[in-house]
Amino acid sequence: ATGCPFCKVMLSDGVTTRKSEQVANESVEVVDVAQLLLNAVKRGDDKKDGAAEPEPAGS
């Protein structure tokens, strides 16, 4: 994971080359730190969807 757009491009190019040489596993990927954070937040929202609604105040 990287937070720099330039580094992401450079790392992605390197991983693509290594995959074509069959040195790197196909499951290797380069992602942006912001993407990881967004995915984590979305997973948290999915868990809330199944939760019971809170009782209204003053009932």
Side-chain angles (χ1 to χ4, degrees), residues 36-53:
L36 293 175
L37 179 61
L38 179 62
N39 290 341
V41 170
K42 284 184 177 180
R43 277 195 308 267
D45 286 346
D46 290 345
K47 291 178 184 176
K48 289 180 184 176
D49 289 342
E53 291 293 318

Side-chain angles (χ1 to χ4, degrees), residues 15-37:
V15 168
T16 301
T17 300
R18 299 303 271 182
K19 284 181 180 179
S20 70
E21 295 170 348
Q22 297 180 345
V23 176
N25 191 335
E26 290 297 319
S27 64
V28 175
E29 65 178 310
V30 179
V31 294
D32 189 88
V33 174
Q35 288 175 314
L36 293 175
L37 179 61

Side-chain angles (χ1 to χ4, degrees), residues 2-14 30-33 35:
T2 181
C4 170
F6 179 74
C7 293
K8 184 174 185 231
V9 170
M10 300 307 287
L11 290 169
S12 295
D13 289 347
V30 179
V31 294
D32 189 88
V33 174
Q35 288 175 314

